[in-house]
Amino acid sequence: MHDLNAVQKLLEPLFPGLMGIRLTELTPERVVAQMTVRPDLCTAGGILHGGAYMAFADTLGAVGTLMNMAAGKRTTTTDSSTKFIAGARVGTVVTGECVPLHRGRTTMVWNTTIRNAEQKLCAIVTQTQLLLDAAP
């Protein structure tokens, strides 16, 4: 399950697919994706909603963990911290880049930066993913 197209297909029927997240690069060391800032993902002022930033980053960290975890495992987010820095306007595209800070046996920590169409830093998200045994 390390093929970009296969992982994208996995995301399509889920919340990330609903948000329109499109993976563009997928390796164990880096996950990159884009998302169009649609009106339904915005605040009343036409700026990407904070929760959309967080869900975008959470998806990238989970995908990064998927790329690194052993067979027979599953993952869940246990902690996430977001720093909002700038906005992204409706009709533009944001790009998220997610890299590992720690890849252990039981937890992984990921750092995601999200930039707007002008490449201005909009948000930094650090999250911890717990590795669990897959359900029987």
Side-chain angles (χ1 to χ4, degrees):
M1 177 67 76
H2 295 102
D3 172 72
L4 186 141
N5 291 326
V7 176
Q8 184 69 51
K9 189 167 272 206
L10 176 71
L11 297 178
E12 288 303 322
L14 305 174
F15 185 61
L18 181 66
M19 290 182 64
I21 295 173
R22 299 176 309 281
L23 298 171
T24 60
E25 185 179 330
L26 189 60
T27 70
E29 294 78 30
R30 184 177 145 163
V31 178
V32 180
Q34 293 185 325
M35 182 176 70
T36 300
V37 180
R38 304 184 321 239
D40 59 330
L41 298 175
C42 288
T43 63
I47 301 296
L48 187 63
H49 190 282
Y53 282 111
M54 295 167 74
F56 184 33
D58 186 64
T59 298
L60 301 189
V63 168
T65 301
L66 175 69
M67 295 296 296
N68 285 275
M69 66 185 188
K73 294 289 187 180
R74 62 186 173 97
T75 186
T76 189
T77 306
T78 61
D79 180 71
S80 183
S81 173
T82 304
K83 303 295 183 227
F84 298 107
I85 298 166
R89 297 200 177 281
V90 68
T92 64
V93 174
V94 291
T95 301
E97 178 184 14
C98 184
V99 296
L101 301 176
H102 166 74
R103 290 180 284 181
R105 287 183 307 104
T106 58
T107 62
M108 294 191 194
V109 180
W110 294 87
N111 191 72
T112 303
T113 54
I114 301 172
R115 296 183 181 276
N116 64 19
E118 292 81 34
Q119 298 305 305
K120 186 170 183 179
L121 184 62
C122 293
I124 299 172
V125 181
T126 304
Q127 72 193 74
T128 303
Q129 293 291 132
L130 179 64
L131 298 170
L132 303 163
D133 291 329

